[in-house]
Amino acid sequence: MPEADDALPVTTMQPARRTWWVWLIPLAAVVFVGVLVAQSVMRRGPLIVVTMIDGHGLKVGAPLLCRGIVVGEVERIALQSDLTGIEAQVRLAPDAAGLARGGSRFWVVRARFDLTGVGGLDTIVRPNYLAVIPGRGPA
């Protein structure tokens, strides 16, 4: 006969502990990232399309300057569908949205040496960029 010390061990069942609160950390991270993305989208300025005959070496990422201050950035450059010029999509800074109006004049600044003078010398040390003179037309 088996003795008391030789008895088989007995298992007891306990319900699993609910650790639902652990999921609050990833949920809070997702909410935080969502808020950051929403703020980023809301702070973006308007996207305008500038059409020109020539690009003169303009590249994506080139700044848009108004009176020496960066007020936007070129996001995309493409040929027009009729191949008569180019279209540059420029994202304006939120505080420069007033430049998106009729009569604004845009041009590519590049180094220029001719009989009338010398200009755009700053593009010798940095890439070509867009410049703008604000117009007075409707937004």
Side-chain angles (χ1 to χ4, degrees), residues 3-34:
E3 296 183 20
D5 291 338
D6 294 337
L8 296 173
V10 178
T11 60
T12 58
M13 300 290 288
Q14 293 181 349
R17 296 179 65 190
R18 304 279 182 200
T19 55
W20 59 269
W21 57 271
V22 173
W23 290 101
L24 290 179
I25 295 169
L27 180 65
V30 167
V31 169
F32 181 70
V33 168

Side-chain angles (χ1 to χ4, degrees), residues 10-63:
V10 178
T11 60
T12 58
M13 300 290 288
Q14 293 181 349
R17 296 179 65 190
R18 304 279 182 200
T19 55
W20 59 269
W21 57 271
V22 173
W23 290 101
L24 290 179
I25 295 169
L27 180 65
V30 167
V31 169
F32 181 70
V33 168
V35 168
L36 288 179
V37 168
Q39 285 179 346
S40 173
V41 168
M42 290 173 35
R43 288 183 184 161
R44 292 173 63 175
L47 182 68
I48 62 172
V49 177
V50 178
T51 56
M52 297 176 279
I53 295 173
D54 292 314
H56 297 293
L58 191 64
K59 295 181 180 170
V60 172

Side-chain angles (χ1 to χ4, degrees), residues 100-103 136-139:
R101 56 181 52 253
R136 299 188 188 274

Side-chain angles (χ1 to χ4, degrees), residues 79-130:
L79 286 172
Q80 290 179 328
S81 58
D82 59 0
L83 305 176
T84 59
I86 67 159
E87 291 181 347
Q89 292 183 357
V90 180
R91 176 75 60 187
L92 294 176
D95 56 343
L99 294 173
R101 56 181 52 253
S104 293
R105 293 179 45 212
F106 295 85
W107 69 95
V108 178
V109 177
R110 59 190 176 125
R112 182 180 55 84
F113 303 99
D114 57 20
L115 296 176
T116 61
V118 177
L121 293 179
D122 54 343
T123 60
I124 292 174
V125 294
R126 68 177 181 175
N128 295 353
Y129 60 90
L130 273 178

